[in-house]
Amino acid sequence: MANISNLPDVEFYDVIEDQKNYIWLAANKGLYRYDGKSYQRFSHPNQKGNSLFQLKEDHEGRLWCNNVYGQLFYIENNRLTLFLDASHLVKGQLSPYTISENHIRLFTITGVYDIDKTTKKINKIFAGMCISNTNLNDDSYVFAINNEGLLKKHRVYKIEATKSKKILEIESLKLIQSPKLFTLKNDVFLTHKSEDGNVIYLINTITDTVRKLQTPSQLKNEIIYNYLNINNEYWFLTTSGVLIYEFENETFRFKKQFFSLESITDVEIDFNNNHWFTTLDNGVFVSPNLNIRHVELKIPKSKITASCTLQGNQFVLGTNDGKLLFYNQSNCIKILQLPGHKIIGNLFYDDQQQQVIVSINASESFVVNLKNDKITDAINKFSVAKTISKLNDTLLFYGNYKEGIVYNNPYNSIEKNILRSSRVKTSVVHNDKLFVSYIDGLFQYNLNTFSSEEIQFQGHSLLVNTMSTSNTAIWLATQHNGLMKFENNNLKQSSIGLPEDLLINTIKSDGDVLWISTDSGLFQYNTVTKALKSLNAQDGLNMAVNDFLVLKDAIIVYLPQSFYILPKGESLFKKFKTSKIKIEAVHINDRDTVVQSYYKLPYHLNKIALQFNSNGFQTNKHVTYQYRVQQLDTTWQNIPLNTHVVNFNSLASGTYIVELKAKNVSTKNAVFSSPITFVIIKPFWETYWFYSLILLVIIGLIWLYFRWRLKQKEEQRITEIDKILTDKKITNLRLENLRSQMNPHFIFNALNSIQDYIISNEKELASSYLVKFSRLIRMYLDYSQQNEITLQQELNALKLYLELEKVRFEEELEYSIKTDERLKTNQIKVPSLFIQPYVENALKHGLLHKSGDRRLIVETKIIQPNKLQITIEDNGIGREQSEKIKRPNLQHKPFATKANEERVHLYKNKLKRDITIEVEDLKNKNQKSSGTKVIITLPI
């Protein structure tokens, strides 16, 4: 029996379990729902007052309740919804109601009303002051009061459909107190309080007749809150707890009582057969197993220190103050006090002698004769006993903290045989052999010769803490090898299915059944059927079981100041169930979302948490959970106990089906939740279309690259062809230039000059002239093979040319070649034979037709960084006058000049060299032509 802690209130009126295994509690402070781990309060903004009453569930699974103000509520979509405010009907009284498929029937002091659940239309079907009601099948029974003169008419009506029928009338000048109608099984009862106490009537629902019953004495003066029919028993909930009766032959027969000090208002049995008791002032009690009874010692200061079974269902308890308490199950039949306040350490019952050996935790012991309750001082014969075993009619084994002894005729003689000097732990007798567990090993003794043999396992001594015998074997709880079985001189480890690393405190046999106590509760093992069952906190045995007694019909588990009675039989062991798993919340990236079975999420919403629960009493302690993600897990993953959330962080893209299962620790079968599917969409850079796009881009880039390379090669080929053509053209132009420079007139004049020198016997002049002419011809031929020559080479050729032309002009030509000192003429490249045509033009067209004062100036200088300017200036007749004196067939540009212009064009457009040529006509003060100036600009 457990009083629930952390309750939100202490005053409770009703309790009910819904179809989803939630426990609902109607309390003074409001309506609460319990899910196995916490309480959730439900309220409505228009609710008048906190208190709610009369919890009921309709055909649709909706939970209903009401309050004293006449408001009717129901739970839907996880919230409290106001159905109807009927305050104008109930007049401030708490009115009972019933729920059918289509309407609510409300019983008030103004009458009985049917309220349509869909339209909320109110139909009055009975007029009268209704005080109480009950239902049987589709019929309603109503206790109503009518005033007729001075008489108060107290009547019971039966309402079938919308028609009413009077079946009982009680006339009284006073109002009847606390009338209540209730249905138990197929019977309808009426109770009310009179001057002589509670009165009970039985209404025959077939004949509609009424009989007054004999009120049980226990109910005579009790305030009755409620009535229940549980397992064909009649439960009356009163100020003195729960009174349980059987009803036969129109007579109540008392069976038992629970919570005699509590005011019990309602009882609910949940899906695991836990009994919930609500009280008016002390919270809620839960009994996992009503068959387990708890008995307090009647002596407050005494503590239980030893025990032993007697005959049948009798047993004796020894205390720390020398008392022997004799019980027949829960009834203490007598108490014996030993001389002085002794701490009783051990008790042994000799069935044959009907005597109890009492071992004191000091140098004392006693023998109690149960025939006459005589206590005999045995001095220290059995003091500080660890174990006592009866060997036969005359022999008794006694073991203490230092030796094992066999007494012959132990009650009347001091004859003894010390078997072994070592601390004894426990002993048993089986198949005419004595088995003794010492602190250093296990030995078996022959009862005739007392010769000993050590029982070892795999060559090592056995350290046995406790042992017991079944019909065919000895069961040993060892310190290092777990539970073992010794049968037919064969020792082996037992595999009965106990939890691993479980420490066994005590083993006791009951025929073919072994009872095993541990810190985790009590286990029952059937050695024939191999069935293992357990009793633990879920069964109401919420403690570590150290020692216990096996009676004829019950097991006694004792604590220092109380004990539990566990009746044998199948009713002791419950078959636990596990409530369906409910997914309470789904959190995506730490944000709550609507719970659904399928989610399709973008790649960045990949942090997922599932919050879940399996309803029931203390499921946070008794239900374990596992999960499995089909794409990730091959086995189920355990979730720690009392953990109701599972997290998945940074899920990769893909489809994940999450499964959950829950299992009560005392069951074998698990329940499963509906799987939830999460689809995490791939980021765009991981999709097939993106891969396809990248592949197309790569193919496109490769195609563009090769196209560019082909185009580049084509352009390179064209460029090379252009270059070849350009070079060819330039070569042709050079040749043309050369041809212009070596025109017949120039050569003829030069040769004439040489001839004249020869004829005039000017040998030296002829030789010098001929050398210069040959050098110039050689230069022209040499430079014509090159596209570019140095500026110095160009100027040398030009100087040599001018020297020869000066002879032609009969020394009437003055020329000068000026060079900027900053110029490195040996490093600067210029097109070969580029300046000479312009100088030739100046001589041929400008200076040749002028008489006297013929001047020509050639100047080279830097005008900008990396810019070379070549100026050819003459003081001839000018271009205009020269055009006038040309012969008609020479009205075109000189061939060399035209060739140079073609070369300039090729250099600028094909070779990307910025060469410019400007021709400027010079004027004197009178604006008459005074010469020509050619300006050539080219990059260095």
Side-chain angles (χ1 to χ4, degrees):
M1 208 74 72
N3 189 354
I4 300 180
S5 59
N6 301 320
L7 282 166
D9 202 350
V10 295
E11 185 176 344
F12 291 89
Y13 311 121
D14 296 275
V15 58
I16 192 173
E17 182 184 41
D18 66 13
Q19 296 177 5
K20 297 179 180 179
N21 304 126
Y22 285 111
I23 296 293
W24 295 84
L25 297 166
N28 180 51
K29 293 180 181 179
L31 178 64
Y32 296 90
R33 187 180 72 182
Y34 174 71
D35 61 4
K37 61 182 188 294
S38 61
Y39 299 90
Q40 181 181 354
R41 185 174 183 269
F42 287 76
S43 63
H44 191 275
N46 297 326
Q47 181 179 337
K48 298 177 181 178
N50 292 324
S51 302
L52 292 171
F53 305 85
Q54 303 187 90
L55 302 177
K56 300 178 189 293
E57 194 170 15
D58 66 11
H59 301 79
E60 302 172 21
R62 291 187 300 183
L63 188 76
W64 293 74
C65 58
N66 69 344
N67 59 18
V68 295
Y69 297 95
Q71 293 177 308
L72 278 165
F73 301 92
Y74 63 85
I75 299 291
E76 191 170 55
N77 296 326
N78 212 32
R79 64 176 58 182
L80 188 65
T81 302
L82 177 62
F83 171 72
L84 181 70
D85 190 334
S87 56
H88 61 291
L89 302 178
V90 304
K91 306 297 184 182
Q93 299 295 318
L94 182 62
S95 299
Y97 66 95
T98 59
I99 307 174
S100 66
E101 187 173 353
N102 298 315
H103 66 266
I104 306 293
R105 180 162 288 182
L106 187 64
F107 302 86
T108 75
I109 60 174
T110 62
V112 179
Y113 302 89
D114 279 349
I115 306 168
D116 190 281
K117 290 170 70 173
T118 305
T119 65
K120 300 183 183 180
K121 182 180 178 181
I122 301 173
N123 180 32
K124 188 172 185 178
I125 64 169
F126 178 82
M129 182 184 295
C130 298
I131 304 302
S132 180
N133 77 286
T134 190
N135 272 37
L136 181 63
N137 301 323
D138 293 330
D139 299 331
S140 296
Y141 292 83
V142 176
F143 185 90
I145 299 177
N146 301 96
N147 294 323
E148 296 182 6
L150 298 176
L151 290 177
K152 308 291 186 183
K153 299 291 185 178
H154 305 86
R155 294 167 177 159
V156 175
Y157 294 88
K158 181 179 182 180
I159 301 176
E160 297 175 296
T162 59
K163 297 180 180 180
S164 60
K165 174 185 176 182
K166 183 179 73 173
I167 59 176
L168 174 64
E169 181 173 335
I170 304 173
E171 295 185 358
S172 175
L173 294 174
K174 297 181 180 180
L175 290 174
I176 292 178
Q177 297 181 20
S178 305
K180 291 183 182 296
L181 283 166
F182 59 94
T183 301
L184 295 176
K185 204 173 181 181
N186 292 317
D187 300 317
V188 175
F189 296 88
L190 168 67
T191 67
H192 68 82
K193 188 175 283 292
S194 68
E195 293 179 354
D196 298 326
N198 289 323
V199 179
I200 302 178
Y201 295 90
L202 172 63
I203 301 173
N204 190 314
T205 58
I206 300 175
T207 63
D208 293 334
T209 58
V210 181
R211 283 198 57 185
K212 188 176 182 180
L213 303 178
Q214 178 67 38
T215 304
S217 59
Q218 297 91 345
L219 293 175
K220 197 72 176 177
N221 298 304
E222 293 292 341
I223 297 176
I224 302 173
Y225 295 116
N226 207 345
Y227 316 85
L228 299 171
N229 183 287
I230 299 176
N231 298 327
N232 293 320
E233 294 178 336
Y234 290 63
W235 290 38
F236 290 80
L237 312 184
T238 72
T239 51
S240 296
V242 180
L243 299 168
I244 301 177
Y245 294 85
E246 288 182 343
F247 185 68
E248 294 179 354
N249 301 322
E250 298 185 354
T251 301
F252 288 102
R253 184 172 65 85
F254 178 74
K255 287 190 66 178
K256 51 193 169 183
Q257 182 178 8
F258 296 125
F259 303 107
S260 59
L261 301 178
E262 303 293 342
S263 295
I264 305 297
T265 56
D266 198 9
V267 177
E268 177 74 0
I269 303 174
D270 67 18
F271 73 106
N272 266 328
N273 209 32
N274 298 307
H275 289 67
W276 295 69
F277 299 85
T278 57
T279 72
L280 205 58
D281 53 10
N282 197 22
V284 179
F285 292 85
V286 177
S287 173
N289 195 333
L290 288 178
N291 293 310
I292 299 177
R293 298 185 59 190
H294 184 237
V295 180
E296 297 281 348
L297 291 185
K298 292 185 177 180
I299 307 172
K301 295 183 179 180
S302 298
K303 292 184 179 180
I304 301 171
T305 55
S307 68
C308 72
T309 58
L310 302 177
Q311 293 178 339
N313 290 318
Q314 296 183 3
F315 61 96
V316 59
L317 301 174
T319 69
N320 63 339
D321 53 1
K323 290 184 177 62
L324 295 173
L325 310 177
F326 292 85
Y327 280 88
N328 185 357
Q329 286 208 14
S330 62
N331 299 319
C332 184
I333 53 181
K334 64 181 176 182
I335 300 176
L336 297 180
Q337 175 68 57
L338 297 177
H341 284 64
K342 316 293 185 181
I343 299 177
I344 299 174
N346 207 332
L347 295 173
F348 175 78
Y349 175 61
D350 190 336
D351 184 34
Q352 181 183 7
Q353 300 294 329
Q354 293 189 33
Q355 295 190 104
V356 175
I357 298 175
V358 182
S359 175
I360 307 299
N361 284 347
S363 297
E364 291 182 275
S365 59
F366 298 89
V367 175
V368 179
N369 190 328
L370 297 185
K371 298 175 183 178
N372 53 20
D373 293 340
K374 181 181 178 181
I375 300 174
T376 302
D377 189 352
I379 312 175
N380 63 352
K381 182 180 281 189
F382 307 106
S383 63
V384 199
K386 299 300 179 182
T387 180
I388 299 175
S389 296
K390 189 74 178 289
L391 306 183
N392 52 40
D393 293 343
T394 60
L395 298 177
L396 183 76
F397 176 76
Y398 152 70
N400 58 30
Y401 65 94
K402 64 177 181 177
E403 57 191 3
I405 301 171
V406 174
Y407 286 112
N408 186 14
N409 192 8
Y411 304 109
N412 301 314
S413 171
I414 60 172
E415 182 183 348
K416 66 179 181 179
N417 177 18
I418 298 177
L419 299 183
R420 192 166 184 266
S421 294
S422 181
R423 186 184 184 93
V424 179
K425 301 187 75 173
T426 185
S427 65
V428 294
V429 177
H430 184 70
N431 291 341
D432 295 328
K433 290 185 179 180
L434 170 65
F435 294 83
V436 181
S437 169
Y438 295 96
I439 196 171
D440 55 355
L442 175 66
F443 292 82
Q444 65 174 344
Y445 294 90
N446 186 297
L447 294 185
N448 295 319
T449 63
F450 288 104
S451 59
S452 65
E453 177 186 355
E454 185 178 5
I455 300 173
Q456 294 185 333
F457 180 66
Q458 296 178 351
H460 295 87
S461 297
L462 277 177
L463 304 181
V464 179
N465 298 322
T466 182
M467 57 185 172
S468 183
T469 62
S470 62
N471 291 332
T472 60
I474 301 175
W475 297 83
L476 314 170
T478 66
Q479 185 171 345
H480 301 295
N481 303 104
L483 184 64
M484 306 191 75
K485 181 181 180 181
F486 185 74
E487 186 175 23
N488 299 325
N489 287 324
N490 182 29
L491 182 65
K492 63 179 181 179
Q493 288 183 308
S494 171
S495 56
I496 67 174
L498 288 174
E500 296 182 2
D501 302 324
L502 189 69
L503 180 63
I504 297 175
N505 296 325
T506 308
I507 301 176
K508 291 188 178 179
S509 63
D510 186 14
D512 291 327
V513 174
L514 282 181
W515 294 91
I516 305 169
S517 68
T518 70
D519 287 346
S520 299
L522 189 66
F523 291 85
Q524 182 201 68
Y525 177 69
N526 191 307
T527 59
V528 177
T529 65
K530 312 300 182 184
L532 180 68
K533 300 178 181 179
S534 66
L535 292 171
N536 50 39
Q538 268 198 111
D539 301 273
L541 203 65
N542 51 348
M543 62 176 186
V545 180
N546 186 25
D547 203 357
F548 60 95
L549 301 174
V550 179
L551 306 182
K552 178 183 177 182
D553 299 320
I555 304 295
I556 304 297
V557 177
Y558 58 88
L559 300 172
Q561 292 186 306
S562 63
F563 59 89
Y564 288 89
I565 303 176
L566 285 60
K568 295 179 182 178
E570 290 301 317
S571 61
L572 179 61
F573 297 94
K574 295 168 57 176
K575 293 182 179 179
F576 288 95
K577 301 176 184 178
T578 308
S579 180
K580 183 179 178 182
I581 301 178
K582 175 179 171 51
I583 305 298
E584 295 182 328
V586 176
H587 300 277
I588 299 175
N589 280 23
D590 299 322
R591 295 186 64 180
D592 196 9
T593 186
V594 177
V595 177
Q596 54 195 43
S597 60
Y598 182 86
Y599 294 85
K600 191 171 184 180
L601 305 170
Y603 72 93
H604 63 280
L605 297 181
N606 60 349
K607 181 182 179 183
I608 296 170
L610 299 181
Q611 187 175 328
F612 50 86
N613 188 56
S614 175
N615 295 329
F617 177 57
Q618 293 183 342
T619 53
N620 58 330
K621 298 179 181 178
H622 307 308
V623 172
T624 59
Y625 300 92
Q626 292 178 308
Y627 75 90
R628 180 175 66 183
V629 181
Q630 290 186 7
Q631 287 71 14
L632 300 178
D633 305 312
T634 56
T635 60
W636 289 90
Q637 306 297 314
N638 293 322
I639 300 173
L641 191 64
N642 199 22
T643 300
H644 298 267
V645 65
V646 59
N647 294 290
F648 304 98
N649 295 321
S650 300
L651 288 175
S653 56
T655 300
Y656 302 92
I657 301 176
V658 182
E659 299 173 294
L660 284 166
K661 70 177 181 178
K663 187 179 78 69
N664 190 293
V665 294
S666 299
T667 64
K668 293 182 179 179
N669 299 325
V671 297
F672 296 80
S673 69
S674 299
I676 298 180
T677 302
F678 295 92
V679 178
I680 309 296
I681 300 174
K682 291 182 178 180
F684 69 89
W685 57 83
E686 292 183 4
T687 56
Y688 289 114
W689 67 263
F690 183 78
Y691 291 150
S692 302
L693 180 62
I694 292 298
L695 183 60
L696 289 174
V697 170
I698 292 173
I699 293 173
L701 289 175
I702 293 173
W703 180 78
L704 289 174
Y705 172 75
F706 280 105
R707 185 181 177 187
W708 172 77
R709 287 291 296 164
L710 289 174
K711 186 177 179 181
Q712 190 180 46
K713 287 185 177 181
E714 181 67 17
E715 290 178 351
Q716 186 177 358
R717 187 179 67 83
I718 293 172
T719 302
E720 289 175 354
I721 292 172
D722 285 348
K723 185 177 180 182
I724 292 171
L725 294 175
T726 302
D727 289 344
K728 183 178 179 182
K729 197 166 186 179
I730 290 174
T731 303
N732 291 335
L733 291 172
R734 285 202 312 269
L735 292 175
E736 293 293 340
N737 206 2
L738 176 62
R739 191 178 66 184
S740 69
Q741 293 163 349
M742 297 177 66
N743 60 70
H745 182 68
F746 170 72
I747 296 174
F748 180 75
N749 289 338
L751 293 176
N752 280 337
S753 296
I754 295 171
Q755 185 181 13
D756 289 341
Y757 286 138
I758 294 173
I759 294 173
S760 301
N761 203 22
E762 298 278 349
K763 295 180 180 180
E764 291 183 1
L765 290 176
S767 176
S768 175
Y769 193 94
L770 183 59
V771 170
K772 290 180 181 179
F773 178 72
S774 62
R775 284 176 57 195
L776 180 62
I777 296 300
R778 184 177 180 180
M779 282 183 183
Y780 283 170
L781 292 175
D782 186 22
Y783 295 163
S784 66
Q785 303 301 316
Q786 302 177 46
N787 285 332
E788 291 182 329
I789 59 176
T790 65
L791 179 59
Q792 186 62 48
Q793 289 173 325
E794 180 77 9
L795 294 177
N796 290 338
L798 185 61
K799 183 177 180 181
L800 189 57
Y801 169 73
L802 288 173
E803 286 180 0
L804 294 177
E805 283 286 14
K806 186 175 182 180
V807 174
R808 177 185 173 191
F809 279 85
E810 299 178 351
E811 300 296 331
E812 291 183 0
L813 173 65
E814 293 182 10
Y815 66 88
S816 65
I817 299 175
K818 300 179 181 179
T819 303
D820 193 335
E821 294 179 355
R822 294 176 295 171
L823 288 175
K824 297 179 180 179
T825 56
N826 289 322
Q827 298 178 9
I828 296 174
K829 294 283 188 176
V830 294
S832 61
L833 304 176
F834 192 75
I835 304 174
Q836 190 272 341
Y838 298 100
V839 173
E840 181 183 347
N841 280 342
L843 295 176
K844 184 177 180 181
H845 302 289
L847 297 175
L848 182 62
H849 302 290
K850 183 181 179 181
S851 57
D853 191 23
R854 297 176 177 136
R855 292 191 303 275
L856 177 69
I857 300 172
V858 178
E859 183 180 8
T860 59
K861 62 181 178 180
I862 295 176
I863 57 172
Q864 293 178 9
N866 300 324
K867 279 284 186 179
L868 173 65
Q869 186 182 77
I870 301 171
T871 305
I872 303 153
E873 184 179 344
D874 66 78
N875 64 346
I877 63 175
R879 289 186 300 172
E880 183 178 351
Q881 188 65 30
S882 176
E883 289 293 328
K884 292 178 180 180
I885 63 175
K886 280 183 181 179
R887 289 175 294 177
N889 59 344
L890 295 177
Q891 296 298 316
H892 55 80
K893 288 187 178 180
F895 183 78
T897 303
K898 185 177 180 181
N900 254 16
E901 288 180 356
E902 286 290 328
R903 291 176 73 191
V904 169
H905 176 75
L906 289 173
Y907 275 112
K908 291 181 68 174
N909 293 285
K910 300 296 183 180
L911 303 179
K912 305 302 180 185
R913 296 191 62 179
D914 186 17
I915 300 176
T916 61
I917 299 176
E918 296 179 7
V919 180
E920 181 181 343
D921 294 321
L922 302 177
K923 304 286 184 179
N924 57 20
K925 295 179 181 180
N926 299 321
Q927 295 301 311
K928 289 184 179 182
S929 179
S930 59
T932 304
K933 185 177 184 180
V934 179
I935 302 172
I936 302 172
T937 305
L938 68 163
I940 297 177

